[in-house]
Amino acid sequence: MWNLLRKNLWRNTRRTCLTILSVFFVVTTCILTESVHKGIWHSSLQQLLRIRHGHIEISNKAYADQPSPDHFLMADSLMFNRLRSIEGVEGVFPCTESFAMASSDNTSKGVMVWGIDPELEEKRMAISSMIVAGCYLQSTDRNILVGEKLSRYLGIAPGDSIALLGRGYHGSTAVGLYCVQGIFSCPIPEVDRSIIYMTLPTAQEFLNVSAEYSGIYLLLKQEKSLPAVIEKVKTVLDCDNCSVTDWKASMQDLLIYSDAAQALGIAVTVLLYLVAGSGLLSTVIMTTNERRHEFGLMIALGMRRSRLTRTIIYEHLFILAIGIVAALGFSLPITGYFNRHPLQITGDAAEVILHNLTKPEISFYFESDLFASQILAIFFIGCATLFYPIIVIRRLRIESALITSNQLRV
Amino acid sequence: MINSKSIIATLFFLMASSFSSTLRGQALSASEIIEKNCRNKESQTFYSEISMTVVRPTWQRETKAKMWIKTRDYSFVLLTAPAKERGQSYLKRQNNLWNWQPSIGRTIKLSSSSTTGQAWQGSDFTIDDIVRNTSFREQYTATLLGQEEVEGTKCHKLQLVPKPETPVVWKKIVTWISTKEFVDIKSEFYGEHEKLIRTYLAYDIKQEQRYFIPMRMEIVPAGKKGHKTVLTVDRYTLQESLNEKFFSLQNLKNIR
């Protein structure tokens, strides 16, 4: 059987290569398209989560309804250490978030004041690389960082001071005069337009609170460990007035958008499979029809139809396997490379992306699930196309096959 | 006979006239009611001392302030307690609003958009309520919904919808204005989707010359158990002599 297979494949290398090539193109196209599609979504989501509230958010239960310093969450270093030691957690980021009014000489604007740990935050967002004027915060600084658009609106530069006026603990007035240490430019316009960063102790003093936080954000090494980590966080915290939510709960809008985007992705993929499948089928039809005479001869010479069918199936599977392996060999390095070195987008498209989401770049998705799903899908499509030669062999009438082939040859 | 006829006629006349006056009372249009309400509320020029208690389920906080108010256009509010907030002051001149913060030595101009709905000193009153920025007459269109009794006081019930392009936070206000003094003794403030946000209540109406002033006011936010803010007027004197020049940026820092 194995011999027959080998001989059959090598007898007409042109035909074999054509089929392999067809499988190769189909698999490569599917993998690359899916990789780009998933990559764009995945990387912009991860980027967004980094900038926003991380994968998991821990806060006081009452804070969601009434976000004020009265409903901050108490936390100590012991708790942070416990959270940090959970497997799969990349970082733990405590912060205070509050609304205030920033006022320079004669303009004022509503802003969000974020109290952060400058060293920790560096791992999350790398704000220091976004600094366009002045310098980044040190943990002992009492100064602030201001977004570029906001600084332009307020007409301030590093060294100037602005007044912040907000609501502190138990309705007290939160007020302070702060010196601008640096100005950062963030790809998310919302952040750039309305956020002021200061160190945690400064923010807590501004709001008249002690070691309390509006939220503690957890970034995970891998998105897929989310449910397991959430469970662990809940057991580690063991507190009744804490709420532990994943980003899916706090970013409902995004999820709806994501579902819509995924649905569109699925539609495109189905279309792609249809095109790929019909391409593959046409190749199979062509090669099968070419061999009608051969099949007829084999059966006439006494080969059982079932054996012939089995031979054809093995041939076909072999070709599929070679095509898939070749495609993997080709697309793995490509997706791997673009996963690590994202494609940079420039021009108008970049502007649009900047306005909507995150960095104007496309990084390819590079996970085993993508390859597995694509290979499996193409494998099934390949197997489905097998029905054609099987049916042809079962229904083949020897005389007509021999005669038609002879006539064709004449 | 003639006498009795004339007596009957007089009686009839009296009845008819009183009836017609009642009719006239009922026939006041929505805009007339609002006009009377605003004439009372918005033309007072006075000095007052208030104390405001913010009530929350787990804590309470009292703030005291002095106020100088000239009609709807000018106002000064100076905080006198608690000690940490003492000396902070607010000045309103027409549509401009400033805040003086003694702890940082700065006057902060409050942009109107960010102030209209902001809570004042962590209470349920907005800055607008305190500096008297809201005007039923100028910012809203009123429709009369009928008459209702509120805690024993007969009131006109009106619905107010903001006029187009008026920068106000409320989507709708339902107010109960007393038929006698034309003081709004209860108002319900609605936000998006007709959702009740808070209820305002006025008590202890006191007459000072031709004006009627509620001496105690309450704001109860909707759906928040145990939350309310009570504002009591401790002292109230009409000061018609207050000059516009008094409401200056220099005075903002120096007022005591």
Side-chain angles (χ1 to χ4, degrees), chain A residues 137-268:
Chain A
L137 290 177
Q138 301 297 322
S139 29
T140 48
D141 281 336
R142 259 201 103 251
N143 302 339
I144 55 169
L145 294 181
V146 181
E148 196 183 10
K149 288 200 178 80
L150 180 63
S151 74
R152 238 179 283 148
Y153 183 86
L154 293 171
I156 46 170
D160 293 346
S161 55
I162 58 170
L164 290 179
L165 179 64
R167 213 196 121 185
Y169 187 65
H170 280 189
S172 61
T173 308
V175 63
L177 199 60
Y178 297 95
C179 180
V180 179
Q181 174 145 322
I183 287 166
F184 66 90
S185 168
C186 175
I188 299 186
E190 211 178 275
V191 174
D192 208 280
R193 222 181 284 140
S194 61
I195 287 198
I196 286 181
Y197 287 109
M198 54 171 75
T199 62
L200 267 172
T202 316
Q204 283 160 345
E205 186 197 312
F206 170 66
L207 298 168
N208 304 320
V209 293
S210 50
E212 291 168 78
Y213 308 89
S214 62
I216 299 165
Y217 303 124
L218 266 62
L219 269 184
L220 304 188
K221 285 175 192 144
Q222 280 183 317
E223 166 82 36
K224 54 189 172 200
S225 58
L226 188 66
V229 175
I230 282 206
E231 281 313 306
K232 273 191 195 150
V233 168
K234 279 181 183 160
T235 45
V236 161
L237 284 179
D238 189 29
C239 94
D240 290 335
N241 61 351
C242 294
S243 88
V244 181
T245 47
D246 60 8
W247 64 270
K248 285 171 186 160
S250 56
M251 291 163 98
Q252 284 283 340
D253 303 358
L254 191 74
L255 220 59
I256 293 168
Y257 170 76
S258 142
D259 285 348
Q262 301 287 36
L264 200 71
I266 289 171
V268 170

Side-chain angles (χ1 to χ4, degrees), chain A residues 113-147:
Chain A
V113 178
W114 280 60
I116 52 161
D117 182 319
E119 280 164 30
L120 278 179
E121 213 62 21
E122 197 46 22
K123 288 184 203 149
R124 188 170 79 113
M125 269 180 72
I127 306 173
S128 68
S129 64
M130 301 177 189
I131 298 283
V132 288
C135 58
Y136 187 59
L137 290 177
Q138 301 297 322
S139 29
T140 48
D141 281 336
R142 259 201 103 251
N143 302 339
I144 55 169
L145 294 181
V146 181

Side-chain angles (χ1 to χ4, degrees), chain B residues 21 23-24 26 29 43 58 70 78 113 119 126 145 150 206 209 216 220 234:
Chain B
S21 75
L23 257 185
R24 211 149 47 89
Q26 273 177 348
S29 71
S43 49
T58 50
K70 183 177 172 69
L78 172 71
S113 64
T126 61
L145 297 180
V150 179
K206 182 185 154 192
Q209 293 176 23
R216 186 161 65 88
V220 184
D234 302 326

Side-chain angles (χ1 to χ4, degrees), chain A residues 227-386:
Chain A
V229 175
I230 282 206
E231 281 313 306
K232 273 191 195 150
V233 168
K234 279 181 183 160
T235 45
V236 161
L237 284 179
D238 189 29
C239 94
D240 290 335
N241 61 351
C242 294
S243 88
V244 181
T245 47
D246 60 8
W247 64 270
K248 285 171 186 160
S250 56
M251 291 163 98
Q252 284 283 340
D253 303 358
L254 191 74
L255 220 59
I256 293 168
Y257 170 76
S258 142
D259 285 348
Q262 301 287 36
L264 200 71
I266 289 171
V268 170
T269 316
V270 167
L271 215 66
L272 194 69
Y273 286 156
L274 274 179
V275 172
S278 52
L280 206 60
L281 185 66
S282 66
T283 320
V284 170
I285 290 174
M286 201 181 73
T287 49
T288 312
N289 283 341
E290 260 184 16
R291 295 171 71 181
R292 261 173 194 268
H293 177 71
E294 179 195 326
F295 293 158
L297 208 62
M298 299 276 260
I299 297 166
L301 285 174
M303 191 176 193
R304 264 180 297 158
R305 280 176 199 251
S306 59
R307 197 176 150 80
L308 181 62
T309 311
R310 233 183 310 147
T311 323
I312 297 297
I313 292 175
Y314 286 149
E315 268 179 44
H316 198 82
L317 288 182
F318 190 73
I319 286 175
L320 263 180
I322 293 181
I324 287 172
V325 169
L328 265 182
F330 180 74
S331 53
L332 265 174
I334 294 183
T335 46
Y337 177 81
F338 285 116
N339 177 255
R340 253 158 254 142
H341 308 90
L343 276 174
Q344 300 296 328
I345 304 167
T346 49
D348 290 347
E351 286 288 306
V352 172
I353 293 172
L354 269 177
H355 270 282
N356 287 309
L357 267 176
T358 55
K359 285 183 184 169
E361 57 182 35
I362 295 177
S363 91
F364 284 40
Y365 186 75
F366 189 69
E367 291 283 335
S368 52
D369 63 328
L370 168 87
F371 296 100
S373 66
Q374 294 311 305
I375 288 169
L376 221 64
I378 299 300
F379 187 76
F380 276 120
I381 293 174
C383 290
T385 57
L386 258 177

Side-chain angles (χ1 to χ4, degrees), chain A residues 66 70 99 101 103-110 161-163 165 167 170-173 175-177 208, chain B residues 56 58-59 61 79 84-85 88 99 101 103-104 106-111 114-115 118-119 121-122 224 227:
Chain A
Q66 293 159 37
D70 304 342
F99 179 80
M101 214 179 57
S103 160
S104 60
D105 283 342
N106 41 25
T107 36
S108 55
K109 191 178 184 296
S161 55
I162 58 170
L165 179 64
R167 213 196 121 185
H170 280 189
S172 61
T173 308
V175 63
L177 199 60
N208 304 320
Chain B
R56 293 288 178 260
T58 50
W59 54 275
R61 186 167 183 270
L79 295 190
K84 213 178 160 232
E85 325 260 294
Q88 286 181 31
N99 171 229
Q101 288 291 342
S103 62
I104 56 167
R106 275 251 187 151
T107 303
I108 299 167
K109 186 166 194 287
L110 304 176
S111 54
S114 64
T115 51
Q118 286 299 308
Q121 301 299 116
K224 291 182 188 171
H227 286 233

Side-chain angles (χ1 to χ4, degrees), chain A residues 5-16:
Chain A
L5 179 100
R6 193 167 47 86
K7 276 181 184 156
N8 267 345
L9 288 176
W10 286 127
R11 195 155 36 86
N12 194 339
T13 37
R14 187 185 55 86
R15 192 169 59 206
T16 313

